[in-house]
Amino acid sequence: GAGVSQSPSNKVTEKGKDVELRCDPISGHTALYWYRQSLGQGLEFLIYFQGNSAPDKSGLPSDRFSAERTGGSVSTLTIQRTQQEDSAVYLCASSLSGRAGGNEQFFGPGTRLTVL
Amino acid sequence: TQLLEQSPQFLSIQEGENLTVYCNSSSVFSSLQWYRQEPGEGPVLLVTVVTGGEVKKLKRLTFQFGDARKDSSLHITAAQPGDTGLYLCPQGGGGNKLTFGTGTQLKVEL
């Protein structure tokens, strides 16, 4: 398909374990975004990539969260020592360029993370 | 601090009814987008409005951007169950990220 894909679709883990969430953006999209959506909360920005660089990491909630992007394409969001409050749907989006508000962001279906 | 409010927070209506949802910000939108998110999916862009006072129509959906570009409304005529979802109007602007409110959760019942 030509859309944004994310894997896994669901992840159940135990408190304290590390998890990796993957995002495959639309081919040719230089900008990639990670958001988190918790029950009853709006989508919360985590990090933005332009190419392989992350000029805005302001939304990462703690140093347990990190992300990287390689080859200007696939991105991985890693959460170390997961806590129950990390349980949420993690959404990835991509856009042609990094100008928010003027460019459409295409979202993936998300990864639902449950930390027991 | 920017404040982004959407109202109502929840709306449950019968098929065929009309409805309007609202998006208000404490600051000016450089442009405004409406997204709809269905259960188990990511948000999908419905429309982008740029000019104050602009009105755009998408089938039964009518989007209006306030003259001062600080508010917007979405009116749905003759709602259908397929309109069910979470309606979002994130704030973009000078940054590279979208700032979302909690949205309006719409349920259209048969």
Side-chain angles (χ1 to χ4, degrees):
Chain A
V4 177
S5 61
Q6 293 186 245
S7 61
S9 55
N10 281 285
K11 176 71 177 178
V12 180
T13 190
E14 293 179 348
K15 178 181 173 181
K17 295 284 181 69
D18 298 351
V19 296
E20 285 189 352
L21 312 179
R22 177 187 169 106
C23 172
D24 281 275
I26 293 173
S27 178
H29 281 193
T30 62
L32 185 147
Y33 309 81
W34 283 98
Y35 295 88
R36 177 169 72 174
Q37 188 172 31
S38 304
L39 193 63
Q41 303 291 321
L43 277 81
E44 174 190 13
F45 167 81
L46 298 177
I47 187 170
Y48 153 68
F49 285 93
Q50 182 64 40
N52 292 335
S53 301
D56 190 346
K57 307 179 184 179
S58 62
L60 294 178
S62 76
D63 58 8
R64 297 186 296 106
F65 288 72
S66 63
E68 64 175 12
R69 188 179 185 194
T70 56
S73 181
V74 172
S75 176
T76 303
L77 177 69
T78 300
I79 309 173
Q80 295 178 310
R81 304 181 302 280
T82 52
Q83 303 293 313
Q84 289 180 332
E85 60 263 29
D86 299 334
S87 296
V89 176
Y90 289 81
L91 290 159
C92 174
S94 69
S95 68
L96 273 174
S97 71
R99 190 169 67 86
N103 281 292
E104 177 180 1
Q105 292 189 17
F106 294 82
F107 285 80
T111 293
R112 180 174 296 279
L113 174 67
T114 303
V115 182
L116 301 176
Chain B
T1 304
Q2 293 176 348
L3 287 176
L4 182 65
E5 294 183 345
Q6 289 191 246
S7 62
Q9 193 170 357
F10 299 98
L11 188 56
S12 180
I13 62 171
Q14 298 296 310
E15 183 180 18
E17 293 184 12
N18 302 331
L19 67 116
T20 302
V21 299
Y22 300 92
C23 176
N24 291 280
S25 174
S26 59
S27 58
V28 173
F29 289 95
S30 58
S31 63
L32 186 146
Q33 298 177 325
W34 282 94
Y35 285 78
R36 179 173 64 209
Q37 184 179 21
E38 298 182 15
E41 303 290 331
V44 175
L45 182 68
L46 297 174
V47 76
T48 300
V49 286
V50 177
T51 305
E54 184 175 1
V55 176
K56 280 193 174 179
K57 292 193 174 185
L58 182 66
K59 298 183 180 177
R60 294 175 294 99
L61 278 60
T62 301
F63 304 85
Q64 186 156 6
F65 199 14
D67 291 340
R69 291 168 36 228
K70 296 177 72 174
D71 61 272
S72 180
S73 64
L74 160 57
H75 182 79
I76 301 179
T77 303
Q80 298 177 0
D83 296 326
T84 292
L86 179 65
Y87 288 81
L88 300 159
C89 65
Q91 183 130 31
N96 299 303
K97 58 183 180 272
L98 295 175
T99 300
F100 290 86
T102 53
T104 293
Q105 184 66 57
L106 172 66
K107 183 176 183 180
V108 182
E109 298 181 285
L110 292 169

